[in-house]
Amino acid sequence: MQPGRRWSDGLHQAIEAKEGLNVQKESKTFASITFQNYFRLYKKLSGMTGTAQTSSEEFYKVYGLETITIPTHRVAQRIDRDDLIFQTESGKFKAIAKRVKELNKKGQPVLIGTVSIEKNELLSQYLKAEGVKHEVLNAKNHEREGEIIADAGEKGRVTVATNMAGRGVDIKLGGIPYNKEKHEEVKSLGGLFVIGTERHDSRRIDNQLRGRSGRQGDPGETQFFVSLEDSLMRIFASDMVKNMMGKLGIPEDEPIQNKMITRSLESAQTKIEGFNFDSRKHVLQYDDVLNFQRKIVYERRRKILFGTNEEVDDYLKEIIEDVYGPQTVEQAKEIFGLREGLEKLVENKKEVLGVEEFFAVGRRLILQAIDTLWVEHLEVMDYLRSSVNLRAYGQRDPLVEYKKEGLTMFKEMQWVINERILHFLPNMGQGSFVREQEKLKATHESAKSITEQEGSGTEQNQKPIIKTDEEKVGRNDPCPCGAKKEDGTPIKYKHCHGK
């Protein structure tokens, strides 16, 4: 886990309690966005990769982008052989070790791709047993990744790498630096031979592994060694294949080669890619609901943060307009009184504080209200997202329910933001935010003191809670913020910051 990150839903607190650490508060999410919606923020979106064709449907449906295949600069001479299917994983690794030993004897360079570090190290043991000298590339020696991959095209070189390692590195036949004689010698041996030890869930990963051989018109060969114990074969291989290999008494390190099985494997990969795409699309549909709300809130924040005083003034007028709308006018009168009185109060505050001070304080007030309630809204929407799926049992579409409730919650949040801003207007005074910050700082100090007391578990380590001068003000004394009524008389502390 990266520094500063914490698990959510109480998991981090449970681990802290288990390990005897001080249990800290749960972290709050201040902002969230999916990768898809983040990329959509760009005005222009494009990309280039050698394996985009298998994901063309997703690129079009999510980003509206067409996928175009550009022909290779030189004619590809790579030979992609059919998969070899084995009964067991150990039989497969034995066969790979034997095949690599044969290729190594004639000097042809070999690159072997594994699906994990564990399989990477296991295969290394089989190669050592056959006496094959090789380089192992995984996360444990990533410092030499570029060097190992670049030299993988040398004569007699055997490299065992994870499928993710060294992607994008061009493997030159004969090694680096370029030597024409060595290059031609390796070409005459058949170029780089790439062996895949297992089919990946995604065809793109398999294609990236194949694509390391036969670059720039050079010769090359690729082949996948698959066993019936591989995760993909366990899920999708028919029992007929397993029974047939058992009945025929085929040894575990003897393969069968069948184009129908190879095609069924690729079909299984297509299905898994479809499932994964549907899963990502489902998450995106939920985030689209939040993305609509996010755009409104962020646009409003940007206007308040960077807009002119006139724009802030227009926003305050909009708030009053919304609060005194047809559906909420009676409720607004009960809370704030007549609309004319509120508008007059705004004008009075401008005169008392001065236009610049009024808008400086007003901006911070509005931003504080928006930020606080937006964070709470994100938390509530997250809880709704995790619970709304249960409504499917009541024959209701969870996504529709999420949209309906999310919209209701968003409207409620907007009303509360407006209400909070208007509540604070009468108490606006010069330096009010400075005093609020001092009070907040004192609260943090007190909370820190309490936490230290609870963490120590002894009375002698307890520290006194510091009281500020503001807390010593009498309830009926004038409020230190300097707020006054319309007639100029000071507002009492109990009616202002002493609530």
Side-chain angles (χ1 to χ4, degrees):
M1 178 172 282
Q2 292 181 351
R5 298 286 182 91
R6 289 175 65 81
W7 287 302
S8 57
D9 299 323
L11 178 59
H12 211 101
Q13 286 79 357
I15 292 171
E16 285 172 338
K18 176 181 175 290
E19 298 297 331
L21 303 171
N22 287 337
V23 178
Q24 312 238 348
K25 283 186 179 179
E26 186 162 347
S27 57
K28 281 192 173 183
T29 302
F30 278 73
S32 67
I33 190 169
T34 58
F35 281 118
Q36 291 94 327
N37 276 323
Y38 176 72
F39 293 141
R40 284 170 171 176
L41 293 174
Y42 287 92
K43 291 179 182 177
K44 289 185 180 179
L45 201 60
S46 63
M48 184 168 67
T49 174
T51 54
Q53 195 59 47
T54 54
S55 302
S56 57
E57 181 189 359
E58 185 167 355
F59 283 124
Y60 184 75
K61 287 186 175 178
V62 175
Y63 305 109
L65 297 175
E66 298 283 356
T67 303
I68 299 167
T69 303
I70 299 172
T72 54
H73 175 52
R74 295 189 174 94
V75 179
Q77 297 185 45
R78 189 184 72 221
I79 301 166
D80 295 331
R81 301 194 180 280
D82 289 333
D83 298 357
L84 298 178
I85 295 95
F86 297 83
Q87 285 192 71
T88 63
E89 187 177 66
S90 62
K92 174 182 74 176
F93 283 141
K94 285 176 186 174
I96 290 172
K98 286 178 183 176
R99 180 68 172 136
V100 171
K101 191 175 183 180
E102 290 171 13
L103 295 167
N104 190 241
K105 272 184 181 177
K106 72 172 187 174
Q108 188 172 2
V110 181
L111 175 67
I112 308 168
T114 60
V115 294
S116 66
I117 295 172
E118 182 190 358
K119 296 284 168 48
N120 187 287
E121 293 175 341
L122 180 62
L123 180 58
S124 177
Q125 297 299 322
Y126 279 93
L127 291 173
K128 283 177 184 175
E130 289 288 339
V132 178
K133 188 182 175 183
H134 61 281
E135 283 273 14
V136 176
L137 176 60
N138 54 38
K140 294 182 179 179
N141 59 353
H142 58 86
E143 298 89 355
R144 296 180 54 234
E145 178 176 327
E147 180 191 337
I148 293 171
I149 285 291
D151 292 337
E154 285 185 2
K155 182 183 176 182
R157 182 67 68 114
V158 177
T159 310
V160 184
T162 55
N163 286 346
M164 301 295 283
R167 285 193 296 176
V169 181
D170 199 10
I171 298 173
K172 302 286 187 186
L173 297 186
I176 293 177
Y178 175 76
N179 183 299
K180 190 174 181 182
E181 290 180 8
K182 289 181 179 179
H183 180 81
E184 293 299 326
E185 185 183 7
V186 174
K187 272 179 74 172
S188 65
L189 294 170
L192 181 66
F193 197 110
V194 171
I195 294 176
T197 59
E198 191 172 326
R199 284 281 192 166
H200 199 274
D201 286 353
S202 169
R203 288 174 294 168
R204 289 191 68 192
I205 305 295
D206 291 347
N207 291 341
Q208 281 164 347
L209 182 61
R210 285 190 193 276
R212 296 184 197 179
S213 175
R215 298 171 82 90
Q216 297 294 322
D218 287 335
E221 291 179 66
T222 68
Q223 191 164 36
F224 278 87
F225 287 60
V226 181
S227 84
L228 297 178
E229 293 178 353
D230 294 346
S231 56
L232 196 69
M233 290 293 281
R234 277 205 310 268
I235 298 167
F236 290 98
S238 64
D239 291 332
M240 180 187 71
V241 179
K242 297 175 186 175
N243 295 335
M244 179 187 71
M245 291 184 81
K247 286 177 182 176
L248 293 174
I250 299 172
E252 65 172 11
D253 57 348
E254 283 292 321
I256 61 167
Q257 196 168 351
N258 191 303
K259 286 189 176 181
M260 184 187 74
I261 296 174
T262 303
R263 282 196 299 269
S264 68
L265 269 173
E266 288 176 356
S267 172
Q269 287 177 309
T270 308
K271 285 179 186 175
I272 291 174
E273 286 170 8
F275 295 151
N276 292 336
F277 171 48
D278 288 342
S279 177
R280 288 191 294 272
K281 189 179 174 185
H282 193 58
V283 171
L284 185 60
Q285 285 174 329
Y286 279 93
D287 190 62
D288 282 341
V289 177
L290 203 56
N291 196 46
F292 173 75
Q293 300 174 3
R294 189 188 296 119
K295 284 180 180 177
I296 294 171
V297 171
Y298 282 15
E299 183 60 38
R300 193 171 293 161
R301 283 191 86 260
R302 198 174 290 112
K303 188 187 287 185
I304 300 302
L305 201 56
F306 302 111
T308 60
N309 289 346
E310 289 74 20
E311 287 178 313
V312 178
D313 197 34
D314 290 341
Y315 179 66
L316 286 172
K317 287 175 183 175
E318 283 175 24
I319 290 174
I320 295 171
E321 186 76 35
D322 289 343
V323 169
Y324 285 89
Q327 296 178 345
T328 56
V329 64
E330 294 302 324
Q331 187 181 352
K333 283 179 181 178
E334 286 179 19
I335 301 171
F336 306 111
L338 293 172
R339 175 174 176 173
E340 292 76 14
L342 198 58
E343 290 173 344
K344 188 178 177 183
L345 175 68
V346 173
E347 296 303 318
N348 287 342
K349 285 292 176 185
K350 288 180 188 175
E351 291 177 15
V352 173
L353 300 174
V355 175
E356 290 303 319
E357 176 71 11
F358 173 81
F359 284 115
V361 175
R363 283 177 201 271
R364 296 176 71 178
L365 158 67
I366 294 165
L367 289 171
Q368 187 184 63
I370 290 173
D371 291 351
T372 305
L373 290 161
W374 174 243
V375 169
E376 289 178 11
H377 179 71
L378 283 177
E379 194 173 357
V380 173
M381 289 292 284
D382 190 41
Y383 289 137
L384 175 65
R385 171 74 180 87
S386 59
S387 63
V388 77
N389 288 327
L390 296 172
R391 302 191 188 184
Y393 291 110
Q395 305 301 312
R396 287 183 288 181
D397 186 343
L399 182 60
V400 174
E401 292 291 308
Y402 182 76
K403 285 179 180 177
K404 281 165 60 180
E405 292 214 14
L407 181 61
T408 305
M409 287 176 179
F410 186 65
K411 286 179 178 177
E412 287 174 1
M413 182 196 73
Q414 287 180 306
W415 163 263
V416 176
I417 288 173
N418 294 344
E419 186 184 25
R420 187 169 290 189
I421 292 167
L422 296 181
H423 261 305
F424 194 81
L425 279 176
N427 301 326
M428 280 175 68
Q430 288 185 330
S432 58
F433 266 98
V434 175
R435 281 183 289 278
E436 285 293 324
Q437 286 174 350
E438 287 174 355
K439 190 175 178 182
L440 188 64
K441 188 177 178 182
T443 307
H444 280 310
E445 289 292 333
S446 301
K448 186 178 177 183
S449 176
I450 292 166
T451 306
E452 286 172 358
Q453 292 167 19
E454 290 175 351
S456 64
T458 59
E459 291 185 5
Q460 62 210 24
N461 290 329
Q462 292 183 358
K463 296 179 182 177
I465 295 172
I466 302 165
K467 290 195 173 185
T468 62
D469 293 336
E470 192 169 325
E471 290 174 331
K472 296 173 184 176
V473 178
R475 284 174 50 75
N476 292 314
D477 293 341
C479 187
C481 75
K484 295 180 180 179
K485 296 180 183 177
E486 292 178 17
D487 59 1
T489 57
I491 297 174
K492 290 181 179 180
Y493 179 68
K494 66 181 180 182
H495 294 310
C496 188
H497 284 82
K499 287 183 180 179

